[in-house]
Amino acid sequence: MTTGFDDYERFDATGLAALVRSGQVRPIELVEAAIARIEARNTELNAVIVPMYDAAREAARLHAGNGALAGVPLLVKDLVSTVQGVPTGSGNRLLRDIPWPRDSEIVRRLRAAGMVLVGKTNTPEFGLTPYTEPEIFGPTRNPWDPTRSPGGSSGGSAAAVAARMTPVATGGDGGGSIRIPASCCGLFGLKVSRGRTPSGPDRGELWNGFAGEHGLTRSVRDSAALLDAIAGDDVGAPYAAPHAPQSFLREVAEPPGRLRIAFSTSPLIGPASAPVHDDCREALARTVTLLGELGHELVEDAPRIDGEACAADFLTVLAAQTRAAIEWTSQLAGRRVSSADYEMTTYTLGLLGRAVPASDYVLAIGRLQLVARSVAAFFEQHPVLLTPTLAQPPIEIGALQPLPAERAAMRSFNALGAGWLLRLLHVTRAMAAKNFAWIPYTPLFNITGQPAMSVPLHWNAAGLPIGMQFVGRFGDEAALLRLAGQLERARPWADRRPPERAEPPERDVGELPGRGAGEPPTVSK
């Protein structure tokens, strides 16, 4: 018996699929290679929380596809994408044991494309934080430095791809949740335009249209091929992005032409005085130089908005969405819930959401839509905007957790159900300042619905990745993918990988005792 595909880590997903189509490797060999790496590396990183090994082996043995990604192992973020018969835990105590009745549309399309699901990845509760440290599963760690965060909320997916468990994992982005972990883990991460990918059949829009699903990859072409597989509205979608004229995968090889690119390190949302680390400034300066060498026109400029007011309105919407998530989980669980069923910060934010009048919520949405209009006008003059993805390199695990005094205050609020007191203390702006200081560049483009990507163009002296964010006009993922392809050819990053740690054990294909979807996952606590 073979022991899997020894060269598994040398290839991206597109390359592995080509080997499957040519008959040089079997899907079961790729699945066993993925399982071996998950088992060897997950104890340290805690990226995969729901293994689906038995189902993956069965799907690989029955595999008969020839698509651009057919036969490739895939991990799915445990938040929005649902898998029939498997819980979608969303980092929550109530949901972790409730099986979902059917595949989401994106999962259905991934299966139709021939990809093989091998497990689900860690995420913060309801995807609320830019770090991945849920209480029920424990923190996911960054493969480049396990003392550091992989970001969030798609941190489990990013850590798994960076550690070469699978070449692709799905993610969702409602405030930067694909781009943040892509930056932290040295990956390519594309947030798609609003309505580009489906959210059905069990959801309408996600977070008032702020969020959308796509994936994290090591190569640009894998991201494009994944988008080809899942893009397009589904039945009953509330809206759809403009039709793409050709395959996104074909766009990657096309020259981008000479672009007028604005660039800035000034924070876009949150406190204007938020510090920007020298490593991020240096990375942007080097990127500007590279773009100039490639023939692009560079202009130092950025949209002018009230970043603090915008952040407060964003948090108002997020608080309302969090309260809705609490009510929704109560319905799914079939019982009345309490603060004990949620993490402290989640429940506190939900109290704030309950205290916000409906008129305040609608007014916040209206103001954010006006911000989106003003930002769109900026992009009439500048087809692309460049910023650092984050204001700091990857932070340490726990760095953004509430301080003891903050936890004590939230405990009191939660016990009293005192949402009104949170409003009285103007907690909205205080919470916004703390949350957005690390991520002042990404959430604005969830508000506007524009496509944006984090490109791994820089590593600092400590060996930590520093991503660069490029933002395009609404509906124009093609322009970003053409630019990303050019950057990847000019400054390839695929050979950069985290320090070697545990090696995958040798296993015989088809003779491995696997953990089923309903069995306990291996997680670090």
Side-chain angles (χ1 to χ4, degrees):
M1 280 286 184
T2 179
T3 57
F5 182 51
D6 292 338
D7 289 333
Y8 174 79
E9 296 180 32
R10 288 182 49 217
F11 294 87
D12 64 358
T14 308
L16 291 174
L19 294 174
V20 170
R21 289 195 302 273
S22 67
Q24 296 178 66
V25 67
R26 295 176 294 152
I28 187 63
E29 294 176 273
L30 302 185
V31 166
E32 294 300 352
I35 291 172
R37 283 153 181 80
I38 294 170
E39 289 293 284
R41 297 166 185 168
N42 197 53
T43 298
E44 178 181 41
L45 299 178
N46 192 29
V48 180
I49 54 170
V50 182
M52 297 166 55
Y53 298 163
D54 289 345
R57 289 185 175 112
E58 182 67 16
R61 292 192 180 99
L62 297 175
H63 183 273
N66 61 356
L69 297 174
V72 176
L74 170 77
L75 288 163
V76 176
K77 180 180 178 181
D78 189 36
L79 186 59
V80 176
S81 293
T82 60
V83 178
Q84 183 176 4
V86 179
T88 299
S90 305
N92 175 254
R93 296 178 181 91
L94 290 174
L95 299 183
R96 66 180 296 182
D97 297 319
I98 301 176
W100 205 258
R102 56 182 170 177
D103 288 349
S104 63
E105 178 62 17
I106 277 185
V107 168
R108 190 196 67 77
R109 293 182 186 186
L110 292 168
R111 292 192 197 272
M115 303 192 79
V116 182
L117 279 63
V118 296
K120 303 194 78 178
T121 59
N122 205 6
T123 184
E125 189 167 47
F126 302 139
L128 291 173
T129 62
Y131 51 89
T132 303
E133 301 171 20
E135 291 177 1
I136 61 169
F137 290 118
T140 296
R141 298 183 178 275
N142 193 319
W144 294 92
D145 178 351
T147 69
R148 303 276 174 167
S149 172
S153 63
S154 306
S157 289
V161 173
R164 272 54 177 179
M165 296 179 191
T166 58
V168 180
T170 70
D173 194 315
S177 291
I178 286 175
R179 291 160 289 158
I180 295 164
S183 180
C184 289
C185 294
L187 302 174
F188 181 76
L190 173 66
K191 182 199 87 70
V192 295
S193 297
R194 180 174 296 141
R196 175 65 69 196
T197 56
S199 56
D202 297 311
R203 298 174 188 265
E205 63 178 4
L206 305 173
W207 277 12
N208 293 90
F210 294 167
E213 290 194 280
H214 186 223
L216 292 115
T217 64
R218 300 202 307 265
S219 69
V220 178
R221 68 177 186 173
D222 279 2
S223 183
L226 183 70
L227 190 53
D228 280 338
I230 64 175
D233 57 304
D234 52 345
V235 175
Y239 36 68
H243 176 71
Q246 69 170 348
S247 159
F248 291 111
L249 183 56
R250 289 184 60 185
E251 298 286 2
V252 175
E254 298 285 343
R258 187 172 189 264
L259 297 172
R260 178 179 170 88
I261 301 176
F263 67 92
S264 178
T265 57
S266 298
L268 298 175
I269 187 170
S273 60
V276 179
H277 197 281
D278 287 345
D279 288 347
C280 301
R281 294 182 182 277
E282 179 186 356
L284 183 130
R286 291 187 178 186
T287 303
V288 167
T289 298
L290 171 60
L291 291 166
E293 292 171 351
L294 293 172
H296 299 292
E297 178 188 358
L298 280 303
V299 180
E300 188 166 7
D301 202 357
R304 288 167 175 78
I305 62 172
D306 185 338
E308 291 193 64
C310 189
D313 283 335
F314 185 93
L315 192 63
T316 295
V317 176
L318 189 58
Q321 289 287 344
T322 302
R323 188 66 210 177
I326 289 173
E327 300 293 343
W328 176 66
T329 54
S330 174
Q331 293 172 17
L332 287 177
R335 66 173 177 81
R336 188 173 181 178
V337 297
S338 70
S339 60
D341 296 308
Y342 306 91
E343 293 183 18
M344 186 179 299
T345 52
T346 300
Y347 199 75
T348 300
L349 190 58
L351 285 179
L352 178 59
R354 189 175 69 182
V356 172
S359 57
D360 283 8
Y361 170 77
V362 172
L363 288 170
I365 290 288
R367 287 190 294 266
L368 292 176
Q369 289 174 345
L370 291 178
V371 167
R373 287 186 178 275
S374 69
V375 172
F378 175 86
F379 278 84
E380 289 295 304
Q381 303 301 318
H382 311 84
V384 177
L385 171 66
L386 164 67
T387 72
T389 304
L390 297 168
Q392 307 287 327
I395 57 174
E396 293 185 347
I397 298 287
L400 288 182
Q401 290 286 352
L403 300 172
E406 293 171 328
R407 293 187 66 84
M410 286 191 292
R411 192 176 295 113
S412 298
F413 292 147
N414 292 351
L416 294 170
W420 61 271
L421 183 57
L422 294 176
R423 282 184 54 77
L424 181 64
L425 295 176
H426 302 291
V427 170
T428 304
R429 287 182 181 267
M431 291 180 69
K434 182 172 182 178
N435 280 273
F436 291 116
W438 188 44
I439 57 166
Y441 306 111
T442 57
L444 177 60
F445 304 106
N446 297 90
I447 293 167
T448 67
Q450 293 170 251
M453 62 187 182
S454 182
V455 184
L457 292 174
H458 187 72
W459 274 256
N460 67 9
L464 297 173
I466 307 289
M468 290 289 102
Q469 176 179 243
F470 294 83
V471 185
R473 292 169 174 165
F474 180 79
D476 200 4
E477 285 89 345
L480 290 184
L481 288 168
R482 290 193 294 268
L483 177 59
Q486 182 187 53
L487 291 168
E488 186 178 35
R489 292 186 291 273
R491 292 288 188 274
W493 56 77
D495 290 340
R496 299 199 68 143
R497 57 180 297 158
E500 291 291 337
R501 302 187 189 278
E503 287 302 311
E506 291 191 351
R507 296 173 171 222
D508 286 339
V509 172
E511 297 183 355
L512 300 178
R515 216 186 270 111
E519 295 175 303
T522 300
V523 297
S524 60
K525 294 291 186 184

